[in-house]
Amino acid sequence: MAGMPPATVEVSDAAVQRLVREQRPDLGDRPLTRVANGWDNATFRLGDDLAVRLPRRTEAVSLILHEQRYLPDIARRSPVAVPVPVHAGRPTSDFPWPWSIVRWVPGAAAADVGPAGRGPAAEGLAEFLRALHVPAETGVPVNPFRGVPLTDRDIAVVERLGDRERYPQAAALRTVWAQSRAAKAWDGPAMMLHGDLHPANILLAESGSLAGVIDFGDVGAGDPAVDLAAGWLMFDAGARRRFMGAFGPAVDGDTWMRARGWALILSTAMLSNSDDNPRMFAVGEFGIRQILES
């Protein structure tokens, strides 16, 4: 059974409450509720409009620092809400790493909404990505797993597709992978990226329109095709056409081919590592179906 990575540090509700009271006593009496325990971070809602975000394993410590550094600028140009940090937490005896208090972004996770209900977000998600994808400044980190050349991820994809029981469509998926790898490599400037744009990190309003985007731990610089993979992870064929059409000629065919390859990378990562997380497993299953149907 393949599950999410174990926590290096399990943080209790009481410890988080102490962190807030010690470093932000003005917020210390707010109700605190655990709302998410992801691969990299634990998130607690703090009152109505804030959240506490803490790394749950060593590898995620730098991700919190990246969010603190780059989210304020992203928020200034984003057309929708993002979790802007309002406090950079310091390590204490209760918790050994940096942590954040961020703005709470309201909305329903697209992962909890059926594909038909996600369609109205197609144009809004494209608008968000057009605003996000600007040339990165010097020093923006390059994530070795996101936004890099597809050839850098070949070993991982081939290994996953070797699981015949999990991937009965492996032959067709290998063809998709070969086509994606054959696309022209990104030769433009390294662009600012979300890096982990899938339905659990995309929030919808009641109308189905885009309400916000969360979880910027993988923010970095590289090939924007990694974020465009959301077209397959998020939408059925009709909505995906609208999503792609909203970019017009700004995104060429090779970039969309690489994006399909990134959708395969991300979908197989979820399917191969989410036996203990039905929600993320379902995101991976949907992505694989869309890749094969497109």
Side-chain angles (χ1 to χ4, degrees):
M1 182 174 178
M4 61 188 282
T8 308
V9 172
E10 292 286 2
V11 60
S12 68
D13 294 29
V16 177
Q17 192 80 69
R18 285 195 296 272
L19 287 172
V20 175
R21 286 175 175 165
E22 289 172 6
Q23 297 187 29
R24 287 297 301 264
D26 56 316
L27 305 173
D29 292 333
R30 288 187 171 210
L32 184 79
T33 307
R34 187 187 296 262
V35 293
N37 202 49
W39 278 32
D40 293 320
N41 300 285
T43 302
F44 297 74
R45 189 165 184 176
L46 183 65
D48 292 330
D49 60 341
L50 297 174
V52 184
R53 188 161 162 82
L54 311 96
R56 60 184 293 276
R57 58 194 191 109
T58 306
E59 294 84 351
V61 174
S62 63
L63 308 186
I64 286 285
L65 296 174
H66 293 163
E67 289 182 341
Q68 292 173 354
R69 168 65 179 83
Y70 297 109
L71 261 173
D73 183 61
I74 290 171
R76 280 190 284 272
R77 62 178 188 274
S78 174
V80 295
V82 298
V84 182
V86 299
H87 175 78
R90 304 181 303 277
T92 71
S93 57
D94 277 322
F95 190 73
W97 299 322
W99 54 280
S100 298
I101 300 177
V102 302
R103 294 290 181 195
W104 175 261
V105 181
D112 301 325
V113 176
R118 303 173 192 171
E123 289 82 4
L125 187 59
E127 182 185 7
F128 166 77
L129 288 174
R130 291 196 304 270
L132 173 66
H133 289 164
V134 300
E137 297 177 357
T138 302
V140 175
V142 175
N143 186 316
F145 304 107
R146 306 292 166 89
V148 295
L150 291 180
T151 51
D152 290 6
R153 306 299 298 135
D154 187 60
I155 292 174
V157 172
V158 170
E159 181 178 345
R160 291 171 195 155
L161 294 181
D163 184 345
R164 296 181 181 180
E165 183 175 349
R166 197 178 293 266
Y167 299 100
Q169 332 90 320
L173 293 172
R174 288 191 187 97
T175 298
V176 170
W177 181 238
Q179 292 169 342
S180 300
R181 285 189 56 195
K184 181 182 176 183
W186 175 252
D187 60 1
M191 306 296 274
M192 288 298 299
L193 309 173
H194 180 281
D196 197 26
L197 195 63
H198 56 69
N201 292 335
I202 297 169
L203 303 182
L204 306 179
E206 288 186 11
S207 64
S209 62
L210 185 68
V213 177
I214 61 174
D215 196 348
F216 284 77
D218 286 310
V219 66
D223 180 0
V226 66
D227 288 343
L228 299 176
W232 286 265
L233 300 174
M234 179 80 172
F235 301 120
D236 60 20
R240 183 164 55 255
R241 283 193 293 271
R242 293 182 9 246
F243 173 72
M244 297 171 72
F247 291 91
V251 177
D252 62 21
D254 284 291
T255 299
W256 286 119
M257 283 296 297
R258 294 195 310 276
R260 192 179 179 211
W262 276 107
L264 179 57
I265 293 169
L266 298 171
S267 295
T268 55
M270 294 174 199
L271 273 177
S272 293
N273 298 285
S274 299
D275 289 338
D276 58 349
N277 189 334
R279 185 177 187 238
M280 296 308 295
F281 192 92
V283 171
E285 280 189 317
F286 178 80
I288 292 294
R289 288 198 304 273
Q290 296 307 306
I291 290 165
L292 291 173
E293 292 174 6
S294 62

